[in-house]
Amino acid sequence: MERSLTMEIVRVTEAAALSAARWMGKGQKNEADGAATEAMRKVLGTIPMNGKVVIGEGEMDEAPMLYIGEELGTGSGPDVDIAVDPVEGTSIVANGSWNALAVIAIADRGHLLHAPDMYMKKIAVGPEAVGKIDINASVTDNLKAVAKAKNKDIEEVVATILDRPRHKEIIDEIRQAGARIKLIEAGDVAAAINTAFDSTGVDILFGTGGAPEGVISAVALKCLGGEMQGILMPEDDEQRERCKKMGIEDINKVFYMDDFCGGDDAIFAGTGVTDGELLKGVQFKGGKAKTQTMVMRAKSGTVRFIEGEHRLDLKPNLVIE
Ligand SMILES: O=P(O)(O)OC[C@H]1O[C@](O)(COP(=O)(O)O)[C@@H](O)[C@@H]1O
């Protein structure tokens, strides 16, 4: 992939975040998602690539924009797979709470897992604990392994997990083991990324969330030198059938980093919609807006934090060609 794509895609998540942030706290998650989707698609159309959406807003018959299989880009440039989530954490935006992001992940064509829209059990850590976790081991064993890898006492380890009744057992076991917990309302992509930064105070992600979000998280962690593992959690016969059609015979198959994203290259960008541990959300003032974006590339391992200041009168449609 061209190196220049790294900077190009910042415009994509910035536009989505700027659009979604208008809806912060308004209790209308679909409107936030719709505005971000439209903006993201518009800007994607200006990027020099032959992009194909593999993770997007849904199947063609249910999503008019950014549907799976949609081809995007100017048509001149590399053939790439695109995974997008214009608003990762729509309910977060609706509530005006923490860690909603606009995110995109890009890899060479054929290199991203076409994850079905169903739940996935996940475990994720930052670089220091790579190779030490095992999704099939107990929560306690994983906490011990992370503590050892990070030279911490288990009481100093912080696990993050979606606050859901389905996670009661995991939460009980984390507490039993003596580790601490950061429960999150939504947004496990931000939570997975946070495990790679000491400043966030989070060491490991546990729990079940969306499989598409799992792929996007894995690309981010690939760029950061972290690790994620996942197991699909189909909930009914129809979902089990979808797994079979994807060629997944063993429903307990563990997806490792190379399964989520093959090859040595991938790019990830995420712009804060609402405030989070790593990125501030969009701030509007006097016809201007400020954004914070993280953009990174697996091949070079470069991680950049980019502040944008946007003159909204000069880009009413959020697209500068
Ligand atoms: O809310 P559920 O059903 O537990 O699903 C969790 C998944 O939803 C998310 O919180 C995203 O929510 P949105 O669909 O509202 O953007 C993901 O981060 C997470 O993987």
Side-chain angles (χ1 to χ4, degrees):
M1 276 187 303
E2 271 76 353
R3 182 182 301 123
S4 55
L5 267 187
T6 315
M7 299 315 284
E8 289 278 357
I9 64 162
V10 172
R11 295 191 296 118
V12 175
T13 53
E14 280 181 346
L18 285 165
S19 306
R22 292 259 183 229
W23 294 94
M24 189 182 91
K26 296 192 178 230
Q28 292 166 278
K29 62 182 199 167
N30 293 338
E31 283 73 5
D33 196 42
T37 301
E38 205 177 323
M40 189 174 248
R41 183 169 180 265
K42 239 184 246 167
V43 182
L44 275 167
T46 71
I47 308 285
M49 62 179 181
N50 289 303
K52 193 174 197 176
V53 176
V54 300
I55 287 183
E57 290 293 283
E59 299 295 335
M60 199 200 287
D61 53 356
E62 63 197 27
M65 287 185 221
L66 300 183
Y67 56 83
I68 294 160
E70 186 172 14
E71 302 205 359
L72 292 161
T74 60
S76 65
D79 291 337
V80 294
D81 279 352
I82 308 174
V84 288
D85 199 346
V87 182
E88 160 44 9
T90 54
S91 59
I92 304 178
V93 178
N95 295 337
S97 50
W98 281 73
N99 270 320
L101 298 175
V103 290
I104 186 167
I106 294 183
D108 287 319
R109 182 66 55 85
H111 283 194
L112 285 184
L113 178 70
H114 296 209
D117 190 9
M118 64 179 69
Y119 280 126
M120 173 179 263
K121 182 179 171 187
K122 309 172 190 179
I123 185 168
V125 288
E128 286 168 278
V130 167
K132 311 291 182 200
I133 52 168
D134 176 357
I135 197 165
N136 283 321
S138 70
V139 166
T140 310
D141 284 349
N142 278 303
L143 287 169
K144 281 184 185 161
V146 171
K148 190 165 175 222
K150 297 190 87 170
N151 200 18
K152 288 184 170 192
D153 291 333
I154 206 158
E155 289 75 17
E156 294 169 339
V157 170
V158 177
T160 187
I161 185 164
L162 284 160
D163 189 5
R164 301 286 185 275
R166 65 176 179 268
H167 292 152
K168 183 180 179 311
E169 273 179 28
I170 301 178
I171 292 169
D172 285 349
E173 190 172 341
I174 297 168
R175 289 178 175 151
Q176 204 92 49
R180 294 177 302 146
I181 304 184
K182 196 171 209 176
L183 290 173
I184 53 169
E185 158 189 342
D188 65 358
V189 174
I193 292 171
N194 283 352
T195 64
F197 291 87
D198 278 346
S199 61
T200 65
V202 166
D203 302 293
I204 182 165
L205 167 92
F206 287 109
T208 296
E213 286 89 340
V215 177
I216 295 174
S217 305
V219 173
L221 285 169
K222 184 178 177 109
C223 297
L224 289 162
E227 180 179 0
M228 168 145 174
Q229 297 171 10
I231 299 174
L232 287 171
M233 305 291 282
E235 291 177 281
D236 53 32
D237 286 346
E238 193 240 311
Q239 293 194 350
R240 275 183 280 277
E241 201 47 46
R242 278 176 70 188
C243 292
K244 265 198 187 148
K245 275 198 190 135
M246 281 178 65
I248 301 162
E249 288 300 331
D250 176 8
I251 221 63
N252 297 314
K253 175 187 164 54
V254 177
F255 291 87
Y256 294 99
M257 290 301 275
D258 279 345
D259 300 312
F260 286 113
C261 179
D264 64 348
D265 206 5
I267 305 174
F268 169 93
T271 301
V273 181
T274 62
D275 291 347
E277 289 87 348
L278 283 174
L279 298 168
K280 272 201 90 58
V282 179
Q283 294 174 302
F284 295 102
K285 189 181 176 198
K288 290 185 181 169
K290 286 185 180 173
T291 51
Q292 286 191 349
T293 301
M294 69 184 304
V295 59
M296 41 205 193
R297 187 175 183 212
K299 202 169 198 166
S300 59
T302 308
V303 180
R304 292 186 173 90
F305 286 86
I306 296 182
E307 304 239 344
E309 187 168 293
H310 309 267
R311 282 263 311 267
L312 300 172
D313 57 331
L314 294 182
K315 42 175 149 177
N317 298 318
L318 298 167
V319 185
I320 297 285
E321 303 277 347

